[in-house]
């Protein structure tokens, strides 16, 4: 069951209180693929410039990431640079150079158009809709967005919500999109616009899954060493979607487990700069952390609680 991701492939220069990485692999599709491919094969669609170090993506190709949809255009690759504060909860963008990404119009290869599981990374809603016009009959579509698109492409974004199964945003984006400060009310507003499910990410404080009939919260995984939170959200999406594609089911229990797998992959993302942690991460380490997640969150009700 194929898993398709469409998003940015970038080069990041990141500085945190714990170090600096220059021209490191970044972008939503890169982080998504690095995380998801540990659980399930991935089909990637994106664009890079002729200055991009393509050989740096070999580790993805060796891990069943199909790069046939990675377009190489003449010009500079998408570059972003930023500095994080000491607590890593806020960052200052120093520079964004879109390069060839500014003219990116996703072209889905014929062999990718039957993808059953589709993740639309954080790109213009016009482009996300264009992707859905090219894929045939996906079983499950999830998308990400950001404050910029909510502000300048709101109408098209709301239109997109009617065509996806799940929206994945952070808490401030959920409030901005819905106009509701309370997250439960914000979730209801968003679900009423079309998606069956909503995930609101709260950074180090975890993630909330809203469905029409239930709410599930997964806390952030406690870590002693955090170096770079840049790709944590996209790694979360990769873990979430890959687990669903791997299981092939959409029952409530599967969705809840997928949130945990997303949280686990997101927690690994921040342990090193860029995608470095994923290069030597093993399936055994992932499963061990999933088990620890279970141990941290399960509890017994008192005798006579009536369940």
């Amino acid at each position: 069951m194929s898993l398709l991701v469409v998003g940015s492939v970038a080069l990041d220069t990141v500085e945190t209180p714990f170090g600096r990485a220059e021209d490191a692999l970044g972008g939503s599709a890169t982080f998504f693929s690095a995380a998801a491919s540990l659980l399930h094969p991935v089909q990637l669609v994106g664009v890079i410039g002729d200055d991009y170090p393509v050989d740096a993506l070999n580790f993805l190709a060796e891990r069943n990431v199909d790069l046939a949809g990675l377009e190489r255009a003449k010009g500079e690759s998408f570059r972003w640079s930023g500095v994080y504060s000491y607590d890593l909860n806020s960052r200052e963008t120093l520079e964004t150079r879109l390069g060839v990404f500014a003219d990116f119009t996703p072209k889905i290869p014929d062999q990718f158009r039957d993808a059953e599981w589709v993740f639309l990374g954080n790109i213009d809603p016009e482009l996300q809709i264009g992707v859905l016009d090219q894929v045939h009959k996906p079983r499950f579509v999830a998308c990400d967005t950001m404050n910029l698109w909510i502000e300048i492409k709101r109408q098209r974004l709301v239109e997109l919500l009617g065509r996806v199964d799940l929206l994945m945003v952070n808490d401030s984006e959920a409030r901005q999109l819905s106009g509701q400060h309370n997250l439960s009310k914000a979730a209801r507003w968003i679900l009423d616009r079309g998606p069956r499910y909503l995930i609101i990410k709260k950074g180090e404080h975890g993630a909330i899954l809203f469905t029409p009939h239930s709410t599930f919260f997964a806390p952030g995984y406690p870590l002693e060493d955090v170096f770079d939170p840049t790709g944590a959200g996209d790694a979360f999406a990769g873990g979430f979607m890959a687990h669903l594609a791997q299981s092939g089911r959409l029952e409530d229990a599967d969705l809840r487990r997928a949130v945990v797998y997303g949280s686990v992959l997101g927690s690994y993302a921040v342990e090193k700069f860029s995608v470095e942690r994923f290069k030597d991460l093993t399936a055994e380490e992932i499963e061990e952390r999933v088990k620890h997640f279970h141990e941290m969150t399960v509890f017994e009700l008192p005798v006579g609680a009536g369940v």
Side-chain angles (χ1 to χ4, degrees):
M1 289 182 282
S2 50
L3 171 58
L4 170 66
V5 58
V6 181
S8 59
V9 180
L11 295 172
D12 292 344
T13 296
V14 180
E15 184 175 344
T16 78
F18 313 107
R20 175 182 169 88
E22 190 162 350
D23 283 348
L25 300 187
S28 60
T30 308
F31 277 102
F32 180 100
S33 299
S37 59
L38 288 158
L39 303 175
H40 193 277
V42 176
Q43 299 168 332
L44 185 153
V45 172
V47 64
I48 56 175
D50 49 22
D51 60 343
Y52 197 91
V54 180
D55 290 348
L57 299 176
N58 286 345
F59 82 100
L60 292 179
E62 293 167 359
R63 198 189 286 158
N64 292 318
V65 177
D66 190 335
L67 300 175
L70 182 60
E71 175 187 349
R72 189 159 192 175
K74 186 176 181 179
E76 184 185 45
S77 299
F78 179 22
R79 279 179 159 82
W80 175 86
S81 64
V83 177
Y84 284 87
S85 63
Y86 188 79
D87 65 2
L88 299 177
N89 285 322
S90 61
R91 72 184 184 191
E92 177 188 0
T93 293
L94 300 179
E95 185 178 36
T96 300
R97 304 206 309 265
L98 294 178
V100 296
F101 191 62
D103 299 317
F104 176 50
T105 300
K107 302 176 186 66
I108 310 303
D110 289 342
Q111 65 268 34
F112 288 6
R113 294 190 178 203
D114 289 321
E116 294 186 61
W117 306 84
V118 177
F119 182 73
L120 305 172
N122 176 21
I123 57 178
D124 189 326
E126 299 275 1
L127 301 182
Q128 293 173 316
I129 290 172
V131 170
L132 295 183
D133 290 339
Q134 295 178 65
V135 293
H136 294 148
K137 292 183 179 179
R139 182 178 174 191
F140 187 90
V141 178
C143 75
D144 192 4
T145 193
M146 66 182 295
N147 56 347
L148 174 65
W149 308 126
I150 296 171
E151 181 179 346
I152 70 172
K153 291 289 183 77
R154 181 182 181 82
Q155 184 173 345
R156 291 295 272 170
L157 179 57
V158 172
E159 179 183 336
L160 174 68
L161 293 182
R163 298 184 61 179
V164 304
D165 299 286
L166 180 142
L167 176 67
M168 198 175 290
V169 289
N170 64 32
D171 46 1
S172 65
E173 292 160 349
R175 291 184 172 106
Q176 180 186 4
L177 176 60
S178 66
Q180 299 284 344
H181 180 76
N182 180 277
L183 288 182
S184 293
K185 290 182 178 180
R188 188 182 311 117
W189 188 96
I190 292 170
L191 294 177
D192 284 345
R193 268 69 192 169
R196 288 186 287 166
Y197 313 107
L198 169 69
I199 290 178
I200 296 180
K201 298 172 291 184
K202 294 176 64 63
E204 65 176 320
H205 302 298
I208 311 172
L209 168 68
F210 293 92
T211 80
H213 309 294
S214 67
T215 302
F216 173 71
F217 173 72
Y221 189 82
L223 295 168
E224 292 188 8
D225 297 311
V226 177
F227 284 90
D228 177 15
T230 304
D234 297 307
F236 175 99
F240 177 88
M241 290 294 291
H243 180 71
L244 288 184
Q246 183 185 60
S247 70
R249 299 184 303 269
L250 288 168
E251 301 299 326
D252 194 62
D254 302 299
L255 291 161
R256 292 182 177 211
R257 275 194 301 273
V259 171
V260 171
Y261 274 89
S263 297
V264 165
L265 269 300
S267 72
Y268 280 119
V270 307
E271 291 185 343
K272 290 185 178 181
F273 282 96
S274 181
V275 294
E276 290 302 311
R277 183 64 178 95
F278 294 121
K279 292 182 178 180
D280 58 5
L281 185 61
T282 66
E284 290 75 20
E285 287 177 296
I286 295 171
E287 294 304 323
E288 185 63 30
R289 189 162 287 186
V290 168
K291 290 178 182 176
H292 191 205
F293 235 108
H294 183 264
E295 293 169 357
M296 288 193 308
T297 55
V298 72
F299 64 95
E300 296 293 334
L301 292 170
V303 177
V307 291

